[in-house]
Amino acid sequence: MEEGDQYSIRRYHLSMFLKYCNPPYIPDPDPPSTRKNHIVHCEKTRAFILRAHAFMAENGVEDLSPSLLSKLLSIHPQTVSRTIDAAKDSPPITRFPPCAPPPLKQTKKAKEQRIVGRFSPETIEKLRRYMHVSFFAQYKRVTLKLIKDGREEWLAESDKEQTVNTSTIRLLLHGMNFAFIKLQCRTSIYMNEYYCSLQANFLRSMLEIRTEGKCLIWSVDETWVHKGMRPNIGWTDKEAQKAPLTFIKNGLTAGNSAQWERGERLVIVACLSEHGFRCPLIWRTGKVGDGGDYHKEMNSEEFEKYIQNVFKELVKEAEERELRPVLLMDNASYHSRVLDKMPTTNDRKAVISDWLVRKGIDCPAGLKKKELVDKLKKLSRKEHNIYIVDKMAEDYGVTLVRTPPYMAEFAPIELGWSAMKRAQYDLINRTDDGRVIREKLLEWMENYPAEKCKSYMEHSRKKRIAEGGLTFSPPSLTTEEVLAAAAEVVDDEDEEAVEDLDDIFDMFDEEEEESIRSVEF
């Protein structure tokens, strides 16, 4: 150290102070993975660090700033260094700000949006297209590792320097509104020409009906319940799951149960209008649900008896309100019984011959089956197959509209069933028998608010119209064209796009119905 070298003298004294006056090491409490983003949160502490560093820089000892300030403030030297580096391009501090609490912990959604903000719109669009074209369209399993391995295909040039790992990709996908959920098989129907033509026909029919106005629309369907039905998601005690016997010995339980014994199954059929449930009917089957389809406990005779009463009540209410009666119904087999059904080519020769004779069609004895089949082919199946329910609707003056197969989102009653089954979890006790369950559910449907029923009708009303469902024909579109069309019709006001029936059921919690907005045609 040269005599008169003031900078060297200051450096020497500061070094000795750092050596003897404070502990030699202060560990950083944050894990290594988060240290690169960790800076001082308190604005007053940050201002002190920057002012002190500026003073030490004026005296030629700025390299000792991290060590000295770390000891004075009891924070890690790397945190001090990051705070100084982060403020290099900031204007000089002229005053000390007041103390403020550290910012609140970021929510999951905020973290996702922060990750999305790191990447350019080009990368976001390319990643979405990569997911659809490389995985969804080819029915391949999607994993975060596969997406990471293919990052060269979706990462834009401007984002090549970005860190891309599985955690980043997971947050990025969530921020783009992707979700890791139970997959549905219904997505393939929108690439089927036949089903899409049925959808377009249904939408055109309903558009014409609603354009004319003054219509009273009911939606009819069936479902089933049993007393053992329980939600699949709920709170439970994980400690009880680890040691169930110990908990039971202490007078507790082994945890929450998803479902106990099924008990007697009840079949429910009802209609839903914007004014509430209509014509509810619940009958006890006397059978214990085995997890199979309830349709085997329903038949055409029972349904036709019920639907006749529905037509009477629908016409009566429509006349009182001076509206046109309209009934929405699906295509279950017991909804579609045919009166004197036209034979097919697979039927026996005698069956075909007898049917032709009953219809007054010349059918000389001795004709071969091929000749009888040729006569059948000349006839219109639409003209000769008379559906009993359709004929009843015509007799009562009711417009009957069939919903497309596998597209339950067009049936408002399905949303009513979802609400009823959620309510059942709280209504039904383990000791209730079929009679008590029936009474409770009938009372619940009778008192269900009309405003919620109206929101269900409005929600089903707007489905697929904005997406061009009236004219959509998938075989004429490539995968790229389908994706481009989807990007053009995304509804920014739709807070939660719904594609599958399970998603529809999850949307309508008790306080969510008012968020459903109607769409005017």
Side-chain angles (χ1 to χ4, degrees):
M1 181 172 61
E2 299 180 3
E3 184 178 357
D5 189 347
Q6 297 298 323
Y7 290 113
S8 299
I9 295 173
R10 294 166 187 163
R11 179 180 296 279
Y12 172 78
H13 287 295
L14 281 175
S15 299
M16 297 302 294
F17 170 80
L18 294 174
K19 181 176 180 180
Y20 293 108
C21 294
N22 279 292
Y25 174 70
I26 300 175
D28 193 336
D30 294 315
S33 60
T34 63
R35 287 178 189 167
K36 62 182 179 181
N37 293 323
H38 185 68
I39 59 174
V40 173
H41 292 305
C42 177
E43 289 297 317
K44 198 162 194 174
T45 304
R46 176 177 173 273
F48 177 80
I49 291 174
L50 298 180
R51 290 288 294 274
H53 176 70
F55 174 78
M56 297 179 73
E58 293 174 0
N59 291 275
V61 287
E62 66 271 13
D63 57 315
L64 297 178
S65 295
S67 300
L68 175 63
L69 296 175
S70 169
K71 301 300 189 328
L72 293 176
L73 299 174
S74 296
I75 58 179
H76 199 276
Q78 292 183 10
T79 301
V80 177
S81 298
R82 284 192 291 268
T83 303
I84 294 171
D85 293 339
K88 284 183 177 179
D89 299 328
S90 301
I93 295 177
T94 58
R95 66 181 183 87
F96 277 93
C99 286
L104 297 176
K105 183 179 179 180
Q106 281 191 322
T107 63
K108 180 181 177 183
K109 187 174 183 63
K111 291 180 180 179
E112 294 168 357
Q113 293 304 317
R114 180 165 58 88
I115 294 296
V116 171
R118 292 183 183 178
F119 295 88
S120 64
E122 182 184 359
T123 292
I124 301 299
E125 177 60 28
K126 290 177 70 174
L127 176 56
R128 187 178 300 277
R129 192 170 296 275
Y130 176 74
M131 293 286 290
H132 283 267
V133 174
S134 300
F135 295 105
F136 299 167
Q138 301 183 37
Y139 302 98
K140 289 185 176 180
R141 186 171 71 98
V142 187
T143 66
L144 296 177
K145 184 178 183 302
L146 290 175
I147 300 172
K148 176 187 174 184
D149 293 342
R151 60 184 177 274
E152 294 297 328
E153 299 185 34
W154 54 266
L155 201 60
E157 287 295 331
S158 59
D159 294 325
K160 292 295 185 181
E161 301 300 323
Q162 291 285 355
T163 301
V164 178
N165 51 41
T166 54
S167 298
T168 302
I169 294 173
R170 179 178 59 81
L171 291 171
L172 180 60
L173 290 176
H174 280 296
M176 294 168 59
N177 209 20
F178 283 80
F180 189 80
I181 59 175
K182 180 180 178 182
L183 300 179
Q184 301 291 324
C185 62
R186 295 183 179 90
T187 56
S188 60
I189 66 176
Y190 299 108
M191 296 300 291
N192 184 290
E193 182 179 13
Y194 173 69
Y195 291 132
C196 287
S197 65
L198 294 179
Q199 173 185 249
N201 180 68
F202 170 81
L203 292 175
R204 281 192 295 268
S205 300
M206 295 305 299
L207 180 59
E208 292 173 1
I209 291 171
R210 290 190 170 107
T211 301
E212 293 176 7
K214 294 186 175 182
C215 57
L216 177 63
I217 302 176
W218 285 15
S219 175
V220 63
D221 195 26
E222 311 81 26
T223 189
W224 59 276
V225 297
H226 56 76
K227 72 175 184 179
M229 292 178 69
R230 296 275 292 158
N232 293 324
I233 300 176
W235 289 100
T236 189
D237 188 346
K238 298 181 73 173
E239 292 298 322
Q241 293 179 347
K242 296 178 182 177
L245 300 183
T246 303
F247 272 69
I248 293 173
K249 290 177 182 178
N250 292 331
L252 302 177
T253 69
N256 200 357
S257 173
Q259 181 168 307
W260 56 75
E261 67 275 5
R262 288 183 175 273
E264 179 184 357
R265 178 148 66 179
L266 288 80
V267 176
I268 309 172
V269 58
C271 300
L272 184 83
S273 76
E274 63 179 15
H275 305 291
F277 281 92
R278 294 290 187 265
C279 304
L281 179 64
I282 304 177
W283 65 84
R284 301 171 62 181
T285 63
K287 300 178 181 179
V288 176
D290 58 358
D293 193 350
Y294 70 91
H295 291 88
K296 62 186 178 183
E297 294 163 4
M298 173 72 78
N299 55 58
S300 298
E301 291 76 13
E302 292 289 345
F303 180 77
E304 288 161 10
K305 291 178 185 177
Y306 168 79
I307 205 65
Q308 186 172 16
N309 181 60
V310 168
F311 287 140
K312 291 178 181 178
E313 295 298 324
L314 174 56
V315 171
K316 180 181 177 181
E317 183 175 341
E319 290 177 349
E320 292 174 354
R321 300 178 184 274
E322 298 183 353
L323 300 173
R324 172 187 175 186
V326 179
L327 183 66
L328 301 181
M329 186 173 66
D330 63 21
N331 302 280
S333 58
Y334 45 81
H335 295 175
S336 310
R337 189 160 68 98
V338 178
L339 185 64
D340 198 9
K341 184 178 180 180
M342 181 178 178
T344 66
T345 56
N346 294 326
D347 287 321
R348 293 182 294 109
K349 173 183 174 181
V351 173
I352 299 175
S353 177
D354 292 343
W355 186 86
L356 292 172
V357 170
R358 287 198 305 273
K359 296 299 180 181
I361 299 173
D362 183 29
C363 185
L367 289 179
K368 296 181 179 180
K369 182 177 179 179
K370 183 178 181 305
E371 295 171 321
L372 296 175
V373 169
D374 290 339
K375 288 181 175 290
L376 282 179
K377 290 181 178 179
K378 295 178 182 179
L379 304 176
S380 171
R381 192 170 296 274
K382 183 177 180 180
E383 294 178 1
H384 288 86
N385 277 350
I386 301 175
Y387 293 93
I388 294 177
V389 174
D390 292 56
K391 184 67 169 60
M392 293 170 63
E394 182 181 350
D395 293 342
Y396 280 98
V398 175
T399 302
L400 183 64
V401 183
R402 302 268 183 165
T403 56
Y406 308 111
M407 298 183 186
E409 63 264 31
F410 295 116
I413 186 68
E414 297 288 358
L415 301 175
W417 292 148
S418 174
M420 183 193 70
K421 290 184 178 181
R422 286 200 308 274
Q424 176 194 349
Y425 301 147
D426 300 320
L427 284 175
I428 297 176
N429 299 319
R430 185 169 185 174
T431 57
D432 291 343
D433 59 12
R435 179 187 60 81
V436 176
I437 295 174
R438 178 179 179 276
E439 292 175 354
K440 286 183 176 181
L441 294 180
L442 286 173
E443 181 182 1
W444 180 87
M445 284 189 280
E446 182 180 355
N447 298 322
Y448 196 68
E451 311 84 62
K452 294 187 177 182
C453 294
K454 185 175 182 179
S455 70
Y456 299 157
M457 300 294 289
E458 292 295 337
H459 179 78
S460 296
R461 173 184 180 180
K462 70 180 183 180
K463 297 301 292 183
R464 308 292 172 237
I465 290 288
E467 297 182 76
L470 290 167
T471 57
F472 182 67
S473 179
S476 63
L477 301 177
T478 65
T479 302
E480 296 291 323
E481 291 170 333
V482 171
L483 292 173
E488 293 176 0
V489 299
V490 170
D491 185 4
D492 294 331
E493 295 184 357
D494 190 359
E495 297 179 357
E496 186 171 5
V498 177
E499 298 298 333
D500 298 305
L501 185 58
D502 288 344
D503 295 334
I504 295 176
F505 288 173
D506 291 340
M507 279 188 62
F508 296 95
D509 291 328
E510 292 184 357
E511 299 180 357
E512 278 192 301
E513 282 81 1
E514 61 269 15
S515 66
I516 304 173
R517 296 173 294 276
S518 61
V519 174
E520 296 295 333
F521 290 126

